[in-house]
Amino acid sequence: MNPQLTLGNHAVVIGGSIAGLMAARILSDHFAQVTILERDPVDATPQARKGQPQVRHLHALLAGGLDVMKAYFPGFEQTLEAAGAQIGDGEYLRWYGYGGYRMAGATGVPGVFASRPLIEWCVRQRVLALPNVTLRDEIGVEALQMTADNRRVTGVQIVHRREEKRREALSAELVVDASGRGSSMPKWLTELGYAAPEESTIKAGIGYATRLYARQPGNGPVTGYYITPDAPDGLRGGGAFPIEGDRWIVTLAGYLGDHAPTDDAGFLAYAATLPTSDIYDLIRTAEPLTEVMVHKYPSSLRRHYETLKRFPERLLVLGDAMCSFNPIFGQGMTVASKEAAALDALLRERRSLDGLWKPFFKAAATIVAVAWELTAGEDFRYPAAEGKRPAGLALLNAYVGKMHRATHHDMEVYRAFLRVAHLQAPPTTLMHPKIMWRVLRAPGRSTPTNLATASNKPSAAREAA
Ligand SMILES: Cc1cc2nc3c(=O)[nH]c(=O)nc-3n(C[C@H](O)[C@H](O)[C@H](O)COP(=O)(O)OP(=O)(O)OC[C@H]3O[C@@H](n4cnc5c(N)ncnc54)[C@H](O)[C@@H]3O)c2cc1C
């Protein structure tokens, strides 16, 4: 740490998952000491903890998130690969959506295939290698410590879970809440006499069912499969990604309560009903390594901290604690990383913690809005999805649908879409005249000709199911 940059002696981060770790990495450049407080026990190896039940399910790290991690952890790709992750060009994803397969071929947009616990473990190794960052596990934060007038946060009240619930106050000049979707911040704010943030929700009743399978060991990149549902009639989709330890992680996901069963036969039969047979063909003969695990995701949830008029000084919120997205585009880790990078930019520019919450929440809201609108567009293809539909949605979705279908046969459109989906480029790039021209002249319906094995038709397996 550069002593010139020190903004304070001690910063505390609540939550030791991706958002908390990325926040700690940023704060390590600005504070003498950074402490991450994590309620769960944290192992020395990759693990799925109780406080983050979603991490057992299919996750991808997008190129936009990888860019941020590479910037803050030089050589991070090597860290990932040494741990067993596969970093490959988008061409290693056979992605079916909007009635066809996306183009095959090099895209220039990388993605990471690995289990979510492995990605977090890699980030954690790099963060905890920093001399001024400490992670204290089995410590829950119960409340904020405040100045007498409740205007400024001075620390947190913690409970030691190992020591018969011993309680203690921990002082800090900045507290960052990265405690995930279940964050207590709205409750703490109202208890302190502040307004809780307004919330937006989109209820799409998504359910994930996931199982790990053995994969034949081999050299070279392995292709993963992703199938997005054919909305509005089709509710089912899924993914099968190669992960470390020669395994497949296979998730079957359904909208609006149409969720996969957890018994062997039911899981397989559900896979057989997806728009293409890629996943069914894979799991039909593969050896299961686990039971089927489920995760219900009734709604996306966005907390609008950016619209608050009053907020305690020296307090910030980021990651899923601010916004939790429909996972269809795999954006959560990337959004959290970009928010952390935005915090870094602000701290370098302002050199002060006073009034920081306002520009931070504004910057974070800009990052969140892009990802939120991308997934909201997908959710609202279903008339039964509940939430506030933006003005002009029908027109926008008509264009977006055409754009998606153009990705079946136009590599330039596919690359432009991938850069947006991976949060590397703003959605406005899809409205560039060069792209619009290619999208609008594309045929209305597409035939997947890019892969010899591609099939839009129900597979024999599906007909039999
Ligand atoms: C089914 C599903 C699939 C997803 N797929 C993807 C994907 O493909 N790609 C992607 O980028 N994102 C995906 N996401 C989102 C991703 O999981 C999160 O964005 C990511 O984990 C970062 O979240 P976080 O760190 O903000 O919170 P979390 O991961 O939820 O972690 C919060 C942490 O805070 C701790 N904690 C909570 N309260 C306290 C407290 N009071 N004191 C101390 N510690 C506390 C918890 O124990 C936990 O460790 C998916 C989400 C779901 C639900």
Side-chain angles (χ1 to χ4, degrees), residues 14-20 37-40 49 51-52 54-55 57-61 116 120 139-142 178-181 184 188 208 295 297 318-321 325 327 330-334 336:
I14 311 173
S17 184
I18 293 287
L37 301 171
E38 169 54 50
R39 198 162 48 189
D40 287 340
R49 300 193 307 272
Q52 30 156 230
Q54 78 277 16
V55 304
H57 299 269
L58 190 83
H59 272 68
L61 176 60
R116 166 66 177 73
E120 178 176 318
I139 292 194
V141 174
E142 287 191 321
S179 64
R181 182 178 172 131
S184 299
W188 290 342
Y208 267 47
H295 185 85
Y297 190 84
L318 53 66
D320 282 21
F325 307 91
Q331 300 160 318
M333 292 186 282
T334 295

Side-chain angles (χ1 to χ4, degrees), residues 360-371:
F360 173 73
F361 287 141
K362 198 167 161 227
T366 309
I367 296 164
V368 164
V370 169

Side-chain angles (χ1 to χ4, degrees), residues 423-442:
L423 303 178
Q424 283 188 315
T428 45
T429 54
L430 295 173
M431 300 292 182
H432 189 281
K434 199 173 66 176
I435 298 295
M436 277 185 102
W437 159 248
R438 300 183 81 96
V439 167
L440 295 174
R441 71 172 187 169

Side-chain angles (χ1 to χ4, degrees), residues 223-248:
T223 296
Y225 304 95
Y226 200 53
I227 303 170
T228 40
D230 280 332
D233 301 323
L235 298 171
R236 301 178 178 188
F241 291 173
I243 61 167
E244 72 278 2
D246 298 318
R247 295 173 298 167
W248 289 104

